[in-house]
């Protein structure tokens, strides 16, 4: 009889952390503060204190802020737009990249598209501050050009880490770019939207980007349908947890 050589969850996580640290080291980052929520408890229990996730996000933000992996973005940005919201959020929204206003203020989705996103969030009973909002790219591409493949590769570990810390119940990806990046597909948002996908085991609902909806208001109805699916799934998760 041979014993199965499948690595345990812990071994897998350790391997991933090791790879990530090597990657940071290769980008010139020599010091990584230990995040309290990521420390291991002897019982192997999950630490979920609010301070833990918040502190872990802040520690990560400190690593991201001086990032110069994409020289053009680093040279032209005013801010690194890390993300904002509740570190304990059940629902995470992921957009493409900061625009003019976001770069200026250092916050995601604060321009016209952001105002519509706030309404979309409120349409399913959340306050904006109760969800978490982030982007695939943390820096604004000059003149809002599309993010380049190497920029996405450079920035991806930061979003991955944000998701690993927040552990949202559902991720809502906004528009072609975020949907295709997180779902690893070339299929267009028109076909993806309204259908559940998955990212690292977390359910993903793709929907239209609010900037697209500003130009095509007739499609708001479809985004409303997608948001209702998110609301219903979150309600199911809550019921399952309490019974
Ligand atoms: N569009 C995005 O994709 N993200 C923002 O933060 C703002 C506009
Ligand atoms: N193209 C995008 O990038 N996003 C949309 O939501 C629709 C079309």
């Amino acid at each position: 009889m041979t014993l199965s050589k499948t690595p345990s969850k812990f071994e897998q996580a350790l391997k991933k952390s090791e790879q990530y640290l090597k990657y940071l080291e290769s980008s010139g980052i020599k010091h990584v503060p230990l995040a309290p929520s990521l420390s291991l408890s002897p019982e192997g229990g999950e630490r979920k204190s609010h301070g833990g996730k918040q502190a872990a996000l802040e520690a990560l933000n400190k690593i991201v802020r001086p990032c110069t992996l994409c020289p053009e973005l680093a040279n032209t940005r005013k801010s690194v737009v890390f993300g904002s919201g509740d570190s304990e959020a059940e629902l995470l929204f992921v957009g493409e990249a900061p625009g003019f206003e976001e770069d200026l203020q250092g916050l995601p989705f604060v321009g016209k598209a952001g105002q519509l996103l706030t309404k979309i969030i409120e349409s399913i009973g959340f306050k904006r501050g109760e969800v978490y909002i982030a982007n695939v790219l943390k820096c604004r591409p000059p003149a809002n050009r599309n993010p380049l493949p190497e920029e996405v590769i450079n920035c991806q570990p930061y979003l991955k880490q944000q998701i690993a810390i927040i552990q949202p119940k559902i991720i809502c990806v906004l528009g072609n770019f975020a949907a295709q990046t997180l779902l690893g597909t070339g299929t267009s948002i028109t076909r993806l939207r309204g259908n559940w996908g998955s990212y690292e085991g977390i359910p993903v609902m793709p929907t239209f980007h609010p900037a697209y909806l500003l130009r095509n208001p007739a499609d708001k109805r479809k985004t409303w349908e997608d948001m209702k699916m998110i609301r219903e799934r979150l309600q199911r998760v809550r019921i399952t947890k309490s019974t």
Side-chain angles (χ1 to χ4, degrees):
M1 191 181 91
T2 51
L3 284 173
S4 150
K5 281 288 280 177
T6 312
S8 71
K9 278 226 156 115
F10 177 73
E11 283 166 330
Q12 285 170 26
L14 202 62
K15 187 90 200 133
K16 274 194 182 172
S17 302
E18 203 180 297
Q19 284 165 352
Y20 184 61
L21 286 170
K22 281 206 181 115
Y23 162 80
L24 288 177
E25 196 180 26
S26 71
S27 350
I29 292 160
K30 299 277 183 264
H31 177 75
V32 180
L34 261 187
S37 78
L38 300 180
S39 61
L40 297 164
S41 62
E43 317 83 49
E46 196 186 1
R47 293 238 183 125
K48 252 197 122 181
S49 75
H50 205 107
K53 287 190 181 184
Q54 184 61 36
L57 283 179
E58 279 165 21
L60 179 62
N61 190 359
K62 276 200 186 131
I63 295 172
V64 179
R65 230 178 295 148
C67 181
T68 54
L69 289 176
C70 311
E72 191 192 7
L73 303 191
N75 286 331
T76 54
R77 73 183 176 219
K78 291 197 172 61
S79 328
V80 171
V81 181
F82 180 72
S84 74
D86 186 352
S87 57
E88 291 278 324
E90 293 180 307
L91 180 54
L92 167 69
F93 287 85
V94 178
E96 180 172 324
F100 179 83
E101 271 303 317
E102 290 76 23
D103 181 49
L104 210 60
Q105 296 188 38
L107 292 167
F109 282 101
V110 286
K112 282 222 170 69
Q115 285 164 21
L116 179 55
L117 178 60
T118 304
K119 281 193 201 159
I120 292 170
I121 291 166
E122 289 170 351
S123 77
I124 51 164
F126 284 102
K127 294 193 184 88
R128 186 179 153 115
E130 290 171 338
V131 303
Y132 199 89
I133 305 173
N135 284 303
V136 171
L137 283 200
K138 310 306 185 202
C139 299
R140 180 192 182 212
N144 298 344
R145 66 156 167 73
N146 286 338
L148 303 173
E150 61 264 33
E151 291 167 348
V152 177
I153 291 167
N154 287 342
C155 219
Q156 196 68 344
Y158 300 145
L159 181 62
K160 240 182 209 277
Q161 289 283 304
Q162 285 176 306
I163 295 171
I165 293 166
I166 298 167
Q167 294 173 32
K169 299 282 182 291
I170 289 174
I171 301 173
C172 178
V173 282
L174 302 165
N176 259 326
F177 191 80
Q180 292 176 350
T181 303
L182 265 77
L183 296 173
T185 173
T187 308
S188 84
I189 190 70
T190 318
R191 310 189 84 199
L192 291 173
R193 63 145 288 276
N195 296 292
W196 289 105
S198 142
Y199 178 81
E200 312 232 318
I202 302 167
V204 170
M205 175 53 67
T207 197
F208 290 119
H209 194 289
Y212 166 85
L213 292 174
L214 288 173
R215 300 190 301 271
N216 302 273
D219 274 340
K220 283 185 188 172
R221 195 180 46 79
K222 291 181 187 155
T223 285
W224 167 234
E225 294 300 320
D226 303 340
M227 297 311 292
K228 278 196 292 190
M229 288 174 75
I230 291 177
R231 185 178 64 189
E232 278 153 25
R233 187 149 186 170
L234 278 176
Q235 277 163 355
R236 260 186 286 143
V237 172
R238 290 192 197 118
I239 290 163
T240 316
K241 229 170 35 180
S242 64
T243 50

